[in-house]
Amino acid sequence: VQLQASGGGLVQAGDSLRLSCAASEGALSNYAMAWFRQAPGKEREYVAAISAYGANTHYTSSVKGRFRISRDNAENMLYLQMNSLKPEDTAVYYCAAVRAYYSGRGYLRPDAMDYWGKGTQVTVSS
């Protein structure tokens, strides 16, 4: 499967953004999906994940209550709705897919993912 993230941009603190990840050359329903982000000088970190059919989701603590991950398997799309953005959310955001079973009840490690999309830059000004 090939993934392409989009929707990033420059916003002010408190604003919202919706990231999208389009999948091609494969059915998205075959994969659990996740969003990761990488800030300058930092390691890539987990943001959120969703099980293959969307029944379960999981978030890192810093975004819980502000971000929402969702998917539309019929459209082969993954989304990340980001609300109440903070300057510390500034990073390149990546979508990723893993074929192995994922319950949606815990973190996913970057090295566990099978496919990655190119990132989209999110910049939050204070």
Side-chain angles (χ1 to χ4, degrees), residues 86-124:
K86 304 176 180 180
E88 51 263 44
D89 295 317
T90 294
V92 178
Y93 283 71
Y94 299 89
C95 57
V98 58
R99 198 171 183 92
Y101 173 74
Y102 169 67
S103 68
R105 300 185 188 281
Y107 291 85
L108 285 170
R109 294 185 352 233
D111 60 5
M113 309 307 289
D114 295 317
Y115 301 98
W116 290 87
K118 292 183 180 179
T120 184
Q121 175 72 47
V122 173
T123 304
V124 184

Side-chain angles (χ1 to χ4, degrees), residues 25-120:
E25 299 187 16
L28 202 63
S29 58
N30 290 329
Y31 304 90
M33 301 295 296
W35 288 96
F36 293 81
R37 66 187 180 186
Q38 189 165 17
K42 295 189 176 181
E43 293 187 353
R44 191 166 298 188
E45 67 169 352
Y46 166 87
V47 176
I50 187 167
S51 54
Y53 289 92
N56 295 304
T57 58
H58 182 270
Y59 301 88
T60 192
S61 58
S62 63
V63 308
K64 195 175 297 184
R66 299 189 298 122
F67 290 12
R68 188 172 77 89
I69 188 171
S70 62
R71 64 191 298 159
D72 183 340
N73 286 345
E75 296 295 328
N76 263 8
M77 294 293 295
L78 173 74
Y79 302 102
L80 185 69
Q81 177 67 43
M82 305 186 296
N83 300 323
S84 302
L85 282 161
K86 304 176 180 180
E88 51 263 44
D89 295 317
T90 294
V92 178
Y93 283 71
Y94 299 89
C95 57
V98 58
R99 198 171 183 92
Y101 173 74
Y102 169 67
S103 68
R105 300 185 188 281
Y107 291 85
L108 285 170
R109 294 185 352 233
D111 60 5
M113 309 307 289
D114 295 317
Y115 301 98
W116 290 87
K118 292 183 180 179
T120 184

